[in-house]
Amino acid sequence: GAELSELIARDPPTIAPDMDLLSAMHTMANSEFTALPVVDEKKRLQGVLTASSLIGVFADGLTNSGRAGGGQEARAEEVSQR
């Protein structure tokens, strides 16, 4: 088997807590990751934003508003898992 150090990304893309979800979704889509660390200005981990949580927010917005993208006003810190 592979060593853990071989499997961990050394410098993954990160997102700021106040990043809007549409921008976070674009960052994730342009990377090879399905989860992104949410870090503050001092690079301290604040949470993890997952693809499934993004899908859930946009699906809830679609269900509640009847149109796509209903949750895009939310920020990464509101949706990330701690």
Side-chain angles (χ1 to χ4, degrees):
E3 293 288 323
L4 184 59
S5 62
E6 297 172 26
L7 302 174
I8 296 175
R10 295 265 183 228
D11 193 21
T14 61
I15 56 176
D18 61 347
M19 179 181 276
D20 66 271
L21 293 184
L22 192 56
S23 296
M25 185 172 62
H26 284 292
T27 300
M28 190 177 292
N30 291 321
S31 75
E32 61 187 87
F33 302 99
T34 57
L36 297 175
V38 179
V39 297
D40 65 15
E41 63 280 347
K42 293 183 180 180
K43 299 294 183 192
R44 294 180 298 205
L45 184 65
Q46 301 298 305
V48 177
L49 183 65
T50 64
S52 60
S53 61
L54 279 173
I55 291 167
V57 167
F58 281 90
D60 286 347
L62 177 61
T63 301
N64 294 332
S65 69
R67 58 187 172 79
Q72 67 190 24
E73 309 84 27
R75 302 285 177 219
E77 64 189 346
E78 298 170 41
V79 180
S80 64
Q81 301 168 2
R82 297 179 194 264

